[in-house]
Amino acid sequence: MDTTLPPFLQTNPPPTAPPSSARIQALYASTSSQRTTNPTGYNANTQWWASVLEETLRTGWLNGGDDGDRLIIKVDDGLLSRLEDCQGKRPKGIGGVIANLTTTIPITLYPLPTFQSSLSPIQAPPSLTSRYIGRPLWWAVGQLNPFGSSGDKVEKEETLWSKHGKGKEYVHIPLLEQAASSFNSYISKNPILTYTDALYDLDSFREEYAKFCFPASSSSKKLPAGVHVLSLRDIEVLVRWLHRDTGVVVTDGTVIKVLDTNQIPSDHPVTEADRGVISIIIAQRKVEKQISGLEKQILESHEKAKKHLANNQKNTALSYLRSKKQLEDLLAKRVASSEQLGSVIRSIDQAKGDVEIMAAYETSTSTLESVLSNPSLSPDRIAATTDALAEAMADQEEIDQAVRIGGELAMGGKRVEVDEDELAAELADLVEEEKLAQRASEKKRLEDEERAAKSAAVAAAKKEEEEKLQPVLENPVSAKESVKPSSAESAPAQAPAKAKPTSSNNEDEQKWNERYEDAQMREDAERRRSQEERLKKDEKRIAAE
């Protein structure tokens, strides 16, 4: 951190970006004479100081830390000393800054005494008389003034400081609006549910909302480390604003009542019952504080008794123990009183809830009676309506029958009476025909398969025989040479030798055919058995359908 900067710019985070050294010198030397010689620079300096005052006030730095005011600024020598630079130099143009903030629309600083005593909202629109008569009249007077208007005269800084400073206090309206917005946001997220929870005095209101009503906006800078809550004077100003300017609470100066969003302040003033409840709440809060104090005293007496007993001071230790017993007896009584007051407060809430429930019952009763008083809901009107509806339905049925009969006559026939037994018999015949057709189709398929199998077997046998005879056909000479007769006597024996192979081949072919036919018969039998089982299943399925 640059130690050459003024102390308020050395905070973390600073209220505004620290300017250069030359810029700081210009800011501290700014006077009212610059209004005419350098109006642009004067306005820029005024705006810079205004942002510094706002942020240092919001963070608590301007009024002395965590316990200082955050919504009220006091313009005096203490303010100037807080704004001194590192060399002890005070800004010269603060009087002009305050004058600008108190006169420029919208107003930023509002005098505290006027704020507290005003009965009408601070930012109320001007009346029609002021808008259409007063302002034009003042403008005309200014035009007729041959010496010029008083606004042309530049007041000196000393005059501005005397008029707007020297211990005067102001409410910072933008920060106040931010605090009110934070309060409304918190109430919308945490609505009040019971009658007594909506009633506060100034201390309990601060204890409940001082932390949550802290001023903040989208442009607000990050707060430095520390505790940031509104002071008691801040709460007074905030409650005044919420009561008079926004209408979200009502107060008589002692009791503060938080309203629901749909409640009108004029319809819910502070009553004697409200004041009585507040007195009970204050009494309970005092008793709870006494209980805390008694518990602390009992602990201290016990520790002191132990200490004196350790020092062998039995009489003193006994005295502290006796005091402890008396305090414990008083503590028991205060606890009982606190519980009794809490029971009274709960009873009040219950009674108030019962009143609201009865009011809801009365409203519901009157509403229901109003609805039932409608002439269309009278018993005679209901009976006449239902009778007319029944007659209309009967007429509609007669019309439907007439249309149906007319349609049958137009088609040239009468309605056919259907015999259910005859339909059942016809359905059984159709099922039987379907079974026969399936059986015939299956039988034909089996026969076709059998013929195809036999043809395939014969073709296979012929192919095998041709393969056996193929070598003989290809080499007839070698086949002849394999059999050479030696003499004439051997010729007669040649014939039997040639016939023997032929007989053997026929026997082999016959055996092969027999084996094939046997296998084919077994295959056909198995196929028929499978087919019969499938037909039986189909018959059962068709019968079931």
Side-chain angles (χ1 to χ4, degrees):
M1 186 62 65
D2 188 358
T3 56
T4 62
L5 293 174
F8 64 87
L9 292 178
Q10 297 180 22
T11 58
N12 186 21
T16 186
S20 63
S21 300
R23 173 70 172 148
I24 290 179
Q25 292 178 3
L27 289 169
Y28 274 77
S30 176
T31 60
S32 57
S33 62
Q34 292 181 335
R35 289 187 181 183
T36 56
T37 60
N38 186 13
T40 303
Y42 182 82
N43 291 332
N45 294 343
T46 301
Q47 293 176 2
W48 189 87
W49 279 112
S51 63
V52 167
L53 292 176
E54 178 174 343
E55 278 303 309
T56 53
L57 179 62
R58 189 176 75 94
T59 59
W61 187 91
L62 195 61
N63 286 326
D66 296 341
D67 297 330
D69 298 331
R70 310 297 179 104
L71 306 179
I72 302 171
I73 181 173
K74 186 175 183 180
V75 184
D76 57 1
D77 291 336
L79 173 66
L80 296 179
S81 64
R82 296 287 289 174
L83 299 178
E84 288 180 353
D85 62 6
C86 59
Q87 300 176 354
K89 183 180 178 180
R90 296 183 176 186
K92 296 181 178 180
I94 294 300
V97 173
I98 300 299
N100 184 68
L101 295 178
T102 56
T103 56
T104 303
I105 304 298
I107 294 176
T108 301
L109 298 181
Y110 202 91
L112 178 61
T114 307
F115 180 90
Q116 293 287 46
S117 62
S118 177
L119 299 179
S120 59
I122 298 301
Q123 296 181 345
S127 62
L128 294 178
T129 303
S130 174
R131 184 181 303 175
Y132 295 106
I133 299 177
R135 290 181 180 177
L137 182 60
W138 281 111
W139 179 84
V141 171
Q143 295 297 318
L144 295 175
N145 185 3
F147 302 101
S149 62
S150 60
D152 295 334
K153 182 180 179 180
V154 177
E155 294 181 302
K156 294 182 179 181
E157 180 62 32
E158 293 77 8
T159 304
L160 295 175
W161 177 256
S162 176
K163 183 183 297 185
H164 301 285
K166 286 193 174 181
K168 293 183 175 60
E169 292 184 313
Y170 299 91
V171 178
H172 200 286
I173 300 299
L175 293 179
L176 177 59
E177 291 176 337
Q178 293 176 24
S181 178
S182 299
F183 174 80
N184 294 332
S185 177
Y186 180 80
I187 289 296
S188 64
K189 296 177 182 178
N190 303 273
I192 294 175
L193 303 178
T194 63
Y195 166 62
T196 56
D197 287 343
L199 299 175
Y200 302 90
D201 62 351
L202 202 60
D203 292 331
S204 60
F205 190 91
R206 178 174 184 259
E207 182 179 354
E208 183 73 19
Y209 298 111
K211 181 179 179 180
F212 305 106
C213 296
F214 197 80
S217 68
S218 58
S219 61
S220 297
K221 298 177 178 62
K222 181 181 178 181
L223 293 171
V227 180
H228 300 283
V229 295
L230 297 181
S231 66
L232 189 61
R233 295 211 309 162
D234 292 334
I235 292 297
E236 291 179 358
V237 170
L238 176 61
V239 170
R240 185 66 175 169
W241 178 270
L242 294 175
H243 168 65
R244 180 191 59 209
D245 296 74
T246 63
V248 297
V249 304
V250 292
T251 180
D252 61 351
T254 303
V255 178
I256 303 169
K257 181 192 293 187
V258 181
L259 302 178
D260 292 336
T261 55
N262 58 348
Q263 290 180 333
I264 301 175
S266 59
D267 296 338
H268 298 82
V270 176
T271 62
E272 289 298 328
D274 299 335
R275 298 185 183 93
V277 171
I278 281 296
S279 64
I280 297 174
I281 293 175
I282 293 174
Q284 186 189 31
R285 188 163 62 247
K286 289 180 179 180
V287 171
E288 290 176 351
K289 290 181 179 179
Q290 292 177 9
I291 291 173
S292 299
L294 290 171
E295 290 175 345
K296 184 177 180 180
Q297 292 178 26
I298 290 171
L299 182 61
E300 291 176 353
S301 298
H302 181 73
E303 295 296 330
K304 290 179 180 179
K306 290 173 59 179
K307 180 179 178 181
H308 287 287
L309 185 61
N311 295 331
N312 203 19
Q313 299 175 351
K314 295 183 179 180
N315 293 332
T316 306
L318 185 62
S319 176
Y320 279 113
L321 289 177
R322 188 178 296 108
S323 176
K324 175 185 173 184
K325 290 295 182 183
Q326 295 174 353
L327 291 172
E328 288 176 346
D329 181 65
L330 181 58
L331 176 62
K333 293 179 181 179
R334 290 294 180 265
V335 170
S337 299
S338 178
E339 292 177 353
Q340 184 65 32
L341 291 173
S343 177
V344 171
I345 292 173
R346 289 191 293 271
S347 299
I348 293 173
D349 283 331
Q350 180 180 355
K352 189 68 175 179
D354 293 340
V355 171
E356 295 175 354
I357 291 173
M358 292 305 300
Y361 285 166
E362 293 177 356
T363 302
S364 302
T365 302
S366 60
T367 302
L368 183 59
E369 289 177 350
S370 176
V371 173
L372 294 177
S373 63
N374 193 304
S376 61
L377 295 179
S378 63
D380 295 339
R381 184 71 173 273
I382 294 173
T385 302
T386 53
D387 292 342
L389 179 60
E391 292 178 0
M393 294 297 293
D395 294 342
Q396 194 268 341
E397 181 66 22
E398 292 179 359
I399 292 173
D400 286 346
Q401 293 180 0
V403 171
R404 187 168 56 252
I405 294 173
E408 293 175 354
L409 293 175
M411 294 298 294
K414 298 181 179 180
R415 294 181 63 187
V416 179
E417 298 294 336
V418 179
D419 189 351
E420 297 295 334
D421 295 337
E422 184 178 350
L423 289 177
E426 184 175 355
L427 178 62
D429 293 341
L430 291 175
V431 171
E432 188 64 26
E433 289 178 2
E434 182 68 21
K435 289 180 182 180
L436 294 175
Q438 289 182 356
R439 289 176 181 176
S441 176
E442 185 64 22
K443 184 177 181 182
K444 183 176 182 303
R445 187 182 65 79
L446 293 175
E447 290 176 353
D448 293 340
E449 290 179 355
E450 185 176 357
R451 283 195 297 270
K454 287 181 178 181
S455 299
V458 172
K462 286 182 179 181
K463 184 176 181 181
E464 184 178 0
E465 186 66 21
E466 289 176 355
E467 292 176 352
K468 290 180 179 180
L469 296 177
Q470 187 69 24
V472 178
L473 294 175
E474 292 178 353
N475 299 310
V477 177
S478 61
K480 290 180 180 180
E481 291 178 352
S482 63
V483 183
K484 292 183 178 180
S486 60
S487 61
E489 288 83 13
S490 62
Q494 186 69 27
K498 292 182 179 179
K500 186 175 181 180
T502 304
S503 175
S504 177
N505 292 335
N506 291 335
E507 289 177 359
D508 293 339
E509 183 177 357
Q510 184 177 0
K511 289 179 180 180
W512 186 90
N513 289 335
E514 289 177 356
R515 287 196 300 270
Y516 172 76
E517 290 178 356
D518 184 56
Q520 195 69 25
M521 289 176 63
R522 287 196 302 271
E523 184 179 355
D524 294 342
E526 183 65 24
R527 188 183 295 109
R528 285 193 296 272
R529 186 182 63 79
S530 176
Q531 185 64 27
E532 288 176 358
E533 289 180 357
R534 187 163 58 250
L535 291 174
K536 289 179 181 180
K537 291 181 181 179
D538 293 340
E539 290 177 0
K540 292 180 180 180
R541 179 177 58 78
I542 295 172
E545 292 176 355

